[in-house]
């Protein structure tokens, strides 16, 4: 099994509701908008594999047809869906308070949110950590609280990143493996970076998640 097969396995084990919650979380790199009388769901990122695998496969599993579009310059891609039904479902779910959704739905939401807004960073030769960035401090606080209280993952309260002007929560090195194992990210380059920074074989990653 390779990274793509791992992601497809994660997707195959999600319920339809969990797939929807992933897509809601992934709206950190997406948007819902009207184009004239058309209802549009759009996700955009440089990593086209994330769009083609993690986003496209979930949307198709839900019965909708996405379109992949190369943005100007060729380094940025957008995946679009024209559907009033899916637009209304995602908009309705996105209006929920994530502090009150079920833990399974929260994990699915966070899987998408981390794929869109998260990073894995090397602190020094031995320690790496995960970060999630957002302008919405209250949202990050609710995520951090549920990570600590329900999933046993020690995440910081939101703090300001002066350089980027956004809020950040951080998962430290000693809880990063637990975070990855529970959340099961589906972003190919973030999985690859985690494996490289941990200096572990792909087989070890697959067996631990």
């Amino acid at each position: 099994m390779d990274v793509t097969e791992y992601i497809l396995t994660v997707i195959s084990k999600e319920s339809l509701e969990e797939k929807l919650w992933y897509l809601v979380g992934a709206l950190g790199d997406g948007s819902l908008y009207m184009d004239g009388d058309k209802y549009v769901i759009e996700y955009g990122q440089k990593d086209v594999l994330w769009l083609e695998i993690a986003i496209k496969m979930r949307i198709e599993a839900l019965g909708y047809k996405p379109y992949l579009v190369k943005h100007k310059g060729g380094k940025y891609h957008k995946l679009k869906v024209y559907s009033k039904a899916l637009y209304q479902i995602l908009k309705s779910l996105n209006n929920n308070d994530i502090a009150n959704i079920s833990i399974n739905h929260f994990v699915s939401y966070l899987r998408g949110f981390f794929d869109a807004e998260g990073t894995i960073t090397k602190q020094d030769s031995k320690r790496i950590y995960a970060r999630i960035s957002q302008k919405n401090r209250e949202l990050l606080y609710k995520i951090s609280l549920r990570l600590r209280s329900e999933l046993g993952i020690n995440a910081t309260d939101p703090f300001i990143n002066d350089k980027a002007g956004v809020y950040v929560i951080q998962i430290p090195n000693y809880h990063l493996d637990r975070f990855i194992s529970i959340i099961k990210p589906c972003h190919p380059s973030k999985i690859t970076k985690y494996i490289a920074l941990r200096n572990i074989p792909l087989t070890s990653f697959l067996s631990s998640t």
Side-chain angles (χ1 to χ4, degrees), residues 5 9 63 82 87 93 110 122 146 156 164 191:
E5 290 171 327
T9 299
Y82 297 91
Y87 174 101
L93 292 178
L110 186 54
K122 186 176 182 178
R146 292 198 75 169
T156 65
I191 294 172

Side-chain angles (χ1 to χ4, degrees), residues 97-99 106 113 132 134-149 155-159 167-169:
D97 186 341
I98 65 156
F106 172 72
F113 195 72
I132 305 174
Q134 243 285 330
K135 292 180 179 179
N136 188 334
R137 185 186 184 280
E138 182 181 359
L139 175 60
L140 286 181
Y141 177 76
K142 290 175 181 178
I143 290 172
S144 175
L145 187 62
R146 292 198 75 169
L147 282 171
R148 292 194 302 263
S149 63
T156 65
D157 283 337
F159 58 90
Y167 290 98
V168 176
I169 60 173

Side-chain angles (χ1 to χ4, degrees), residues 29-82:
D29 267 342
S31 59
L32 307 171
Y33 63 91
M34 297 292 298
D35 182 7
D37 61 351
K38 297 177 181 178
Y39 293 80
V40 186
I41 305 102
E42 179 180 293
Y43 297 89
Q45 228 187 50
K46 290 181 179 179
D47 193 326
V48 67
L49 280 178
W50 178 65
L51 296 173
E52 288 181 330
I53 302 170
I55 301 294
K56 183 173 180 282
M57 293 299 183
R58 285 179 171 90
I59 290 171
E60 289 180 340
L62 291 164
Y64 301 96
K65 184 169 181 164
Y67 299 87
L68 189 66
V69 180
K70 186 180 289 187
H71 199 53
K72 294 178 182 179
K75 294 183 179 180
Y76 190 81
H77 292 77
K78 293 182 178 181
L79 189 140
K80 297 184 178 185
V81 186
Y82 297 91

Side-chain angles (χ1 to χ4, degrees), residues 110 113-115 117-123 127-133 140 143-144 147 153-157 159 167-181 183 185 190 193-194 197-198:
L110 186 54
F113 195 72
F114 180 74
D115 282 353
E117 303 280 39
T119 59
I120 297 174
T121 305
K122 186 176 182 178
Q123 185 171 354
R127 292 179 295 177
I128 61 175
Y129 56 84
R131 280 187 164 187
I132 305 174
S133 305
L140 286 181
I143 290 172
S144 175
L147 282 171
I153 296 169
N154 187 16
T156 65
D157 283 337
F159 58 90
Y167 290 98
V168 176
I169 60 173
Q170 185 167 300
I171 295 91
N173 179 68
Y174 61 87
H175 270 178
L176 179 59
D177 295 342
R178 178 173 174 79
F179 175 78
I180 295 296
S181 177
I183 299 304
K190 289 173 187 176
K193 186 175 183 181
Y194 168 78
L197 290 178
R198 272 286 187 248

Side-chain angles (χ1 to χ4, degrees), residues 8 30 36 42 58 91 107 150-151 162 166-167 184 192:
L8 293 175
E42 179 180 293
R58 285 179 171 90
K91 187 173 183 180
V107 168
E150 297 177 63
L151 297 177
D162 293 329
V166 295
Y167 290 98
K184 293 180 171 53
T192 302

